Amino acid sequence: MPKIPTFTAQEEMTTDIPGQRLNLQISPTQSTAAALLPAAKQTQAFFLKKRDNEEKLEAKKTLLELKTESDKLVLSQKNNPNEQESINNWKSKFDGISQNRISGIKNPRIKKLVQDGLELENLESIYNLKTNSFKAFEEESVKTYNNEVTMLSAKYKTTTNPILKAKYKDELYRLAEGFNNTHELGDFDKKERRRKIDATLLLADADFTIGLGFDNAAEQIAKIDGSQNGANFINDEDFANGIYNSYAQKINDLTVKGDPNADYELAEDLLDQLETFKRYNGSEVLSGDRKTKFSSLKQRVLTEKIAHNKLVKDIAMGE
């Protein structure tokens, strides 16, 4: 049987037109797609920016709500002088509020914005808590100090025991020094507080002596004042005001018209003492406005004395 001739192809099969080879490639810079590419990028950037702004706005709204809750808690600790306690009280309540709110945020990007913003807000809240506690501590400290000074001064004034007087005076000095050290107020403040204590106690001694109603009260006060060199820690004006007020108060207490316990005679004696009162350095108590007030006080006492005596007499006679 004759064999069928075979051959091997030397070229690959192609659909090209004989004698022509096509090499088609679309260039992104030389086509319609290239013209649309910038617009597509702008559109994508716009939507990303819109999404970011919307998420930021949502995060800010959440932060504002949390800040409102935090501010309420900070305000509730405003008068707490204990700094660490106020921070712990705020933290124990606000941590739960913030964690519950954040756990309900589904968008991870918004959640991250809220968490980052909350860190800054919490720093501000802690700063405010510390500031408020410091102010509260100062106010409470001043109030306590003043109350203790008043209490010890009253004890000093009402005792006649010189040992107790010295004890109360030393306690006042220690109290003032402790307050000064606590608040780091310096040497000038320490000296000023000691000066005020000395002035207060001198006037307390004077007031107590006047209250006894003795004929030699003015001399006794001048003696106490001189022995302490009182002019070194209380000026003449403040001393005169204190002396006048003590005498005037005692005279007013003694001259209640119609009161059977009133003593207009003693009141007149005290008026005489006050009228001639001089400090150990020669400074007169009755000067300036005090002189005018004394004239009115004396006139009232002398006028009321007549009416008082008549009233008491009528009451005694049953009229």
Side-chain angles (χ1 to χ4, degrees):
M1 173 184 261
K3 292 183 180 181
I4 300 174
T6 63
F7 64 93
T8 301
Q10 299 299 315
E11 300 288 340
E12 294 181 359
M13 295 182 66
T14 177
T15 58
D16 291 347
I17 300 173
Q20 181 180 2
R21 181 178 295 273
L22 297 178
N23 186 20
L24 295 176
Q25 294 181 355
I26 298 176
S27 172
T29 63
Q30 299 175 0
S31 66
T32 303
L36 294 175
L37 190 58
K41 288 183 177 179
Q42 287 182 348
T43 301
Q44 183 182 25
F46 169 78
F47 283 111
L48 285 174
K49 185 175 182 180
K50 181 174 180 293
R51 184 201 69 184
D52 289 345
N53 287 337
E54 289 173 347
E55 290 176 350
K56 288 178 180 178
L57 179 61
E58 188 63 30
K60 285 182 179 180
K61 288 168 61 178
T62 301
L63 282 170
L64 183 60
E65 293 172 2
L66 289 173
K67 179 172 174 54
T68 300
E69 294 300 321
S70 177
D71 288 346
K72 290 179 182 177
L73 294 173
V74 170
L75 185 61
S76 71
Q77 300 298 311
K78 182 178 181 181
N79 296 320
N80 189 344
N82 188 316
E83 178 182 298
Q84 193 56 52
E85 183 180 84
S86 68
I87 293 174
N88 290 340
N89 290 343
W90 166 81
K91 186 175 177 61
S92 65
K93 294 180 181 179
F94 185 67
D95 279 356
I97 294 173
S98 59
Q99 288 170 8
N100 287 338
R101 186 70 178 84
I102 291 174
S103 64
I105 300 174
K106 305 302 181 184
N107 187 316
R109 290 184 298 275
I110 295 177
K111 180 179 289 188
K112 183 68 166 56
L113 288 171
V114 172
Q115 289 172 332
D116 291 346
L118 199 57
E119 288 184 8
L120 295 176
E121 292 293 345
N122 287 350
L123 289 175
E124 181 182 345
S125 295
I126 291 175
Y127 169 78
N128 290 333
L129 284 163
K130 289 183 176 182
T131 301
N132 290 342
S133 289
F134 180 73
K135 290 180 180 178
F137 170 75
E138 281 191 323
E139 291 175 0
E140 188 66 24
S141 181
V142 169
K143 181 180 178 181
T144 301
Y145 173 77
N146 289 337
N147 287 340
E148 288 182 305
V149 168
T150 300
M151 179 188 69
L152 287 171
S153 297
K155 287 183 176 181
Y156 177 94
K157 176 182 176 180
T158 55
T159 185
T160 57
N161 187 323
I163 297 177
L164 288 178
K165 279 188 176 292
K167 174 179 179 295
Y168 297 142
K169 191 172 188 176
D170 287 341
E171 287 182 14
L172 283 165
Y173 285 157
R174 288 196 298 272
L175 183 65
E177 185 172 357
F179 183 88
N180 175 277
N181 291 337
T182 297
H183 296 277
E184 300 179 348
L185 298 174
D187 290 338
F188 176 80
D189 176 85
K190 187 180 295 185
K191 292 177 181 177
E192 184 65 11
R193 289 183 186 279
R194 192 180 183 95
R195 183 193 68 77
K196 288 181 178 179
I197 289 171
D198 289 338
T200 297
L201 298 186
L202 174 59
L203 292 178
D205 282 332
D207 187 71
F208 180 79
T209 303
I210 293 168
L212 296 175
F214 295 153
D215 292 339
N216 64 342
E219 289 79 2
Q220 290 297 318
I221 294 170
K223 183 178 179 181
I224 296 172
D225 185 22
S227 68
Q228 300 179 18
N229 290 320
N232 290 335
F233 52 80
I234 180 170
N235 61 48
D236 292 339
E237 183 67 15
D238 290 342
F239 178 82
N241 280 330
I243 294 298
Y244 179 86
N245 290 336
S246 291
Y247 268 104
Q249 183 61 56
K250 181 63 176 178
I251 290 168
N252 286 330
D253 291 343
L254 291 170
T255 55
V256 179
K257 186 170 63 175
D259 186 342
N261 294 319
D263 191 340
Y264 279 79
E265 298 297 331
L266 178 55
E268 285 189 74
D269 290 341
L270 293 177
L271 283 169
D272 291 340
Q273 289 182 31
L274 179 55
E275 190 168 18
T276 59
F277 195 108
K278 286 186 179 182
R279 198 175 188 184
Y280 76 95
N281 61 4
S283 174
E284 294 183 352
V285 168
L286 293 187
S287 60
D289 292 340
R290 289 183 298 274
K291 198 167 187 177
T292 302
K293 289 192 293 185
F294 174 79
S295 296
S296 298
L297 177 62
K298 185 175 182 178
Q299 182 63 36
R300 180 188 68 78
V301 171
L302 296 178
T303 301
E304 281 187 1
K305 179 181 178 182
I306 299 173
H308 168 76
N309 289 339
K310 182 177 184 304
L311 183 59
V312 171
K313 183 178 179 181
D314 291 342
I315 292 174
M317 295 178 63
E319 297 182 4

